[in-house]
Amino acid sequence: MNLTDQLLRPSLSSAARPAVTHYDDAVGSRVELSVATLVNWAAKTANWLVEEFDVEPGDPVAVDLPAHWQTAGVLLGTWWCGGHVVADADGARVAFTGPDGPTGVADDTAVVALDPLGRGLGPQGAAAGAFDYLSDARSAGDDFTPLTPVPGDTPALLGSTADDVLATARERAGELGIGSGDRVLSTRAWTLPGGVVDALVAPLAAGAHVVQVSNPAKLDAHRAAEAATVDLS
């Protein structure tokens, strides 16, 4: 069972419960993804990576994105098909980047619009030779099964294997006081690897609900509204 399976499968028995809620106080948005919706986005991403780019276990996939609900789908989808999340686009099979563009040169570039409502890049689309992730991946399949099993020793996050990432996430959940059913309020950047592990993977591994706030301006209100039980702000 690969990293994404390990993180999400235990929660499928309560698939309607919230998994990730993202606030962006700069635009006044709130987007909540249930476990089922997060699984759906991860599956679409995994299918898209395999069908469009032939990503295989161990292939480097660069992720240069902020803390965002769309980033959660990108990371979980990449791990589901065995992709190796790296920071450097140079030499990567695919590079996921925001609308400002990549900082290096990958085989292919997927631009993530980061639109709060999940819309793609609009009529202008992506730059020549790049892909509009939200518009393109939306049509991919809603279910994903790896073509071949993804072993636990497959590289998953920089220098760590999938098994390493899961073990570290569980350890960090304990250190941060995150348990099953907790509602984890965070303003931490999803830097690789530590920010992603602490603010996303550790809560998911513990069966907690991630409440991520970007451009925080109303933290007290969000903390109360979400009944946060763990604070990483």
Side-chain angles (χ1 to χ4, degrees):
M1 192 179 296
N2 68 29
L3 180 56
T4 297
D5 277 325
Q6 295 272 17
L7 293 174
L8 297 182
R9 191 174 297 278
S11 299
L12 287 177
S13 59
S14 52
R17 75 167 178 82
V20 173
T21 298
H22 177 241
Y23 286 90
D24 186 344
D25 286 350
V27 297
S29 64
R30 179 187 185 276
V31 176
E32 181 176 284
L33 303 186
S34 66
V35 172
T37 303
L38 183 58
V39 169
N40 181 262
W41 267 109
K44 286 181 177 294
T45 302
N47 279 311
W48 189 59
L49 286 171
V50 171
E51 294 167 3
E52 186 68 51
F53 306 107
D54 297 321
V55 169
E56 297 180 352
D59 282 351
V61 175
V63 179
D64 182 15
L65 295 168
H68 197 280
W69 66 267
Q70 290 159 27
T71 305
V74 167
L75 289 166
L76 292 166
T78 299
W79 288 324
W80 208 347
C81 66
H84 175 200
V85 173
V86 298
D88 191 352
D90 289 333
R93 184 67 193 85
V94 184
F96 284 94
T97 181
D100 292 338
T103 56
V105 180
D107 292 351
D108 288 294
T109 298
V111 181
V112 182
L114 302 174
D115 179 84
L117 299 180
R119 295 169 297 201
L121 295 170
Q124 75 276 14
F131 295 81
D132 181 346
Y133 162 70
L134 285 169
S135 295
D136 293 355
R138 192 183 305 277
S139 61
D142 292 340
D143 298 302
F144 179 74
T145 301
L147 296 175
T148 58
V150 180
D153 60 359
T154 302
L157 180 59
L158 302 187
S160 298
T161 67
D163 284 347
D164 292 337
V165 173
L166 185 62
T168 299
R170 287 172 171 166
E171 180 179 352
R172 288 297 292 154
E175 293 170 350
L176 294 167
I178 302 171
S180 178
D182 273 324
R183 299 173 71 84
V184 182
L185 182 80
S186 174
T187 60
R188 297 190 183 186
W190 289 5
T191 52
L192 302 178
V196 162
V197 170
D198 281 2
L200 177 67
V201 185
L204 292 179
H209 171 201
V210 177
V211 181
Q212 181 68 34
V213 183
S214 300
N215 305 304
K218 303 176 181 178
L219 269 183
D220 288 343
H222 300 327
R223 190 177 290 114
E226 299 294 341
T229 56
V230 177
D231 197 326
L232 300 183
S233 61

PDB file of all heavy atoms in Angstrom, residues 29 44 93 101 105 130 142 151 171 180 216 223 228:
ATOM      1  N   SER A  29     -11.718  33.843   0.773  1.00  0.00           N
ATOM      2  CA  SER A  29     -12.271  32.556   0.338  1.00  0.00           C
ATOM      3  C   SER A  29     -12.148  31.497   1.419  1.00  0.00           C
ATOM      4  O   SER A  29     -11.251  31.534   2.272  1.00  0.00           O
ATOM      5  CB  SER A  29     -11.554  32.070  -0.930  1.00  0.00           C
ATOM      6  OG  SER A  29     -10.190  31.808  -0.660  1.00  0.00           O
ATOM      7  N   LYS A  44      -7.693  11.917  -9.785  1.00  0.00           N
ATOM      8  CA  LYS A  44      -7.617  12.604 -11.071  1.00  0.00           C
ATOM      9  C   LYS A  44      -6.176  12.998 -11.388  1.00  0.00           C
ATOM     10  O   LYS A  44      -5.711  12.848 -12.529  1.00  0.00           O
ATOM     11  CB  LYS A  44      -8.518  13.849 -11.053  1.00  0.00           C
ATOM     12  CG  LYS A  44     -10.004  13.550 -11.144  1.00  0.00           C
ATOM     13  CD  LYS A  44     -10.826  14.827 -11.134  1.00  0.00           C
ATOM     14  CE  LYS A  44     -12.312  14.543 -11.302  1.00  0.00           C
ATOM     15  NZ  LYS A  44     -12.639  13.979 -12.624  1.00  0.00           N
ATOM     16  N   ARG A  93      10.354  15.100 -14.398  1.00  0.00           N
ATOM     17  CA  ARG A  93       9.465  14.619 -15.464  1.00  0.00           C
ATOM     18  C   ARG A  93       8.354  15.629 -15.700  1.00  0.00           C
ATOM     19  O   ARG A  93       7.984  15.922 -16.839  1.00  0.00           O
ATOM     20  CB  ARG A  93       8.885  13.258 -15.055  1.00  0.00           C
ATOM     21  CG  ARG A  93       8.030  12.600 -16.115  1.00  0.00           C
ATOM     22  CD  ARG A  93       8.871  12.188 -17.320  1.00  0.00           C
ATOM     23  NE  ARG A  93       8.033  11.848 -18.444  1.00  0.00           N
ATOM     24  CZ  ARG A  93       7.549  12.732 -19.314  1.00  0.00           C
ATOM     25  NH1 ARG A  93       7.828  14.020 -19.198  1.00  0.00           N
ATOM     26  NH2 ARG A  93       6.821  12.337 -20.330  1.00  0.00           N
ATOM     27  N   GLY A 101       4.925  30.767 -13.136  1.00  0.00           N
ATOM     28  CA  GLY A 101       5.836  29.970 -13.935  1.00  0.00           C
ATOM     29  C   GLY A 101       6.909  29.278 -13.120  1.00  0.00           C
ATOM     30  O   GLY A 101       7.149  29.611 -11.959  1.00  0.00           O
ATOM     31  N   VAL A 105      13.757  24.054 -15.590  1.00  0.00           N
ATOM     32  CA  VAL A 105      13.265  23.478 -16.838  1.00  0.00           C
ATOM     33  C   VAL A 105      13.008  21.989 -16.642  1.00  0.00           C
ATOM     34  O   VAL A 105      13.932  21.208 -16.422  1.00  0.00           O
ATOM     35  CB  VAL A 105      14.274  23.690 -17.982  1.00  0.00           C
ATOM     36  CG1 VAL A 105      13.733  23.067 -19.263  1.00  0.00           C
ATOM     37  CG2 VAL A 105      14.562  25.171 -18.184  1.00  0.00           C
ATOM     38  N   ALA A 130       3.021  24.447 -22.121  1.00  0.00           N
ATOM     39  CA  ALA A 130       2.649  24.096 -20.751  1.00  0.00           C
ATOM     40  C   ALA A 130       1.209  23.591 -20.715  1.00  0.00           C
ATOM     41  O   ALA A 130       0.464  23.692 -21.695  1.00  0.00           O
ATOM     42  CB  ALA A 130       2.823  25.295 -19.821  1.00  0.00           C
ATOM     43  N   ASP A 142     -11.922   9.292 -11.999  1.00  0.00           N
ATOM     44  CA  ASP A 142     -12.163   9.562 -10.586  1.00  0.00           C
ATOM     45  C   ASP A 142     -11.625   8.471  -9.675  1.00  0.00           C
ATOM     46  O   ASP A 142     -11.611   8.642  -8.452  1.00  0.00           O
ATOM     47  CB  ASP A 142     -13.667   9.699 -10.329  1.00  0.00           C
ATOM     48  CG  ASP A 142     -14.258  10.936 -10.976  1.00  0.00           C
ATOM     49  OD1 ASP A 142     -13.487  11.863 -11.286  1.00  0.00           O
ATOM     50  OD2 ASP A 142     -15.484  10.969 -11.170  1.00  0.00           O
ATOM     51  N   PRO A 151       6.291   0.152  -4.190  1.00  0.00           N
ATOM     52  CA  PRO A 151       6.922  -0.321  -2.948  1.00  0.00           C
ATOM     53  C   PRO A 151       7.167   0.824  -1.969  1.00  0.00           C
ATOM     54  O   PRO A 151       7.324   1.984  -2.367  1.00  0.00           O
ATOM     55  CB  PRO A 151       8.243  -0.924  -3.431  1.00  0.00           C
ATOM     56  CG  PRO A 151       8.069  -1.159  -4.899  1.00  0.00           C
ATOM     57  CD  PRO A 151       7.135  -0.096  -5.375  1.00  0.00           C
ATOM     58  N   GLU A 171       5.490  10.284  13.609  1.00  0.00           N
ATOM     59  CA  GLU A 171       6.298  10.764  14.725  1.00  0.00           C
ATOM     60  C   GLU A 171       6.013  12.243  14.993  1.00  0.00           C
ATOM     61  O   GLU A 171       5.848  12.660  16.150  1.00  0.00           O
ATOM     62  CB  GLU A 171       7.776  10.561  14.411  1.00  0.00           C
ATOM     63  CG  GLU A 171       8.713  11.032  15.512  1.00  0.00           C
ATOM     64  CD  GLU A 171      10.173  10.796  15.172  1.00  0.00           C
ATOM     65  OE1 GLU A 171      10.452  10.136  14.142  1.00  0.00           O
ATOM     66  OE2 GLU A 171      11.038  11.287  15.919  1.00  0.00           O
ATOM     67  N   SER A 180      -6.325  11.633  16.200  1.00  0.00           N
ATOM     68  CA  SER A 180      -7.499  11.378  15.370  1.00  0.00           C
ATOM     69  C   SER A 180      -8.644  12.300  15.772  1.00  0.00           C
ATOM     70  O   SER A 180      -8.948  12.452  16.959  1.00  0.00           O
ATOM     71  CB  SER A 180      -7.933   9.919  15.520  1.00  0.00           C
ATOM     72  OG  SER A 180      -9.090   9.655  14.770  1.00  0.00           O
ATOM     73  N   PRO A 216      -2.932  35.190   6.502  1.00  0.00           N
ATOM     74  CA  PRO A 216      -3.819  35.267   7.665  1.00  0.00           C
ATOM     75  C   PRO A 216      -4.088  36.694   8.131  1.00  0.00           C
ATOM     76  O   PRO A 216      -3.178  37.484   8.329  1.00  0.00           O
ATOM     77  CB  PRO A 216      -3.055  34.480   8.736  1.00  0.00           C
ATOM     78  CG  PRO A 216      -1.631  34.481   8.291  1.00  0.00           C
ATOM     79  CD  PRO A 216      -1.681  34.469   6.800  1.00  0.00           C
ATOM     80  N   ARG A 223     -10.147  30.312  14.026  1.00  0.00           N
ATOM     81  CA  ARG A 223      -9.912  29.365  15.124  1.00  0.00           C
ATOM     82  C   ARG A 223     -11.230  29.024  15.822  1.00  0.00           C
ATOM     83  O   ARG A 223     -11.506  27.860  16.131  1.00  0.00           O
ATOM     84  CB  ARG A 223      -8.917  29.992  16.102  1.00  0.00           C
ATOM     85  CG  ARG A 223      -8.395  29.041  17.164  1.00  0.00           C
ATOM     86  CD  ARG A 223      -7.353  29.736  18.048  1.00  0.00           C
ATOM     87  NE  ARG A 223      -6.125  29.999  17.312  1.00  0.00           N
ATOM     88  CZ  ARG A 223      -5.679  31.212  17.013  1.00  0.00           C
ATOM     89  NH1 ARG A 223      -6.384  32.279  17.346  1.00  0.00           N
ATOM     90  NH2 ARG A 223      -4.554  31.368  16.356  1.00  0.00           N
ATOM     91  N   ALA A 228     -10.890  24.810  16.344  1.00  0.00           N
ATOM     92  CA  ALA A 228      -9.550  24.224  16.242  1.00  0.00           C
ATOM     93  C   ALA A 228      -9.117  23.644  17.581  1.00  0.00           C
ATOM     94  O   ALA A 228      -9.320  24.252  18.640  1.00  0.00           O
ATOM     95  CB  ALA A 228      -8.555  25.281  15.777  1.00  0.00           C
TER      96      ALA A 228
END
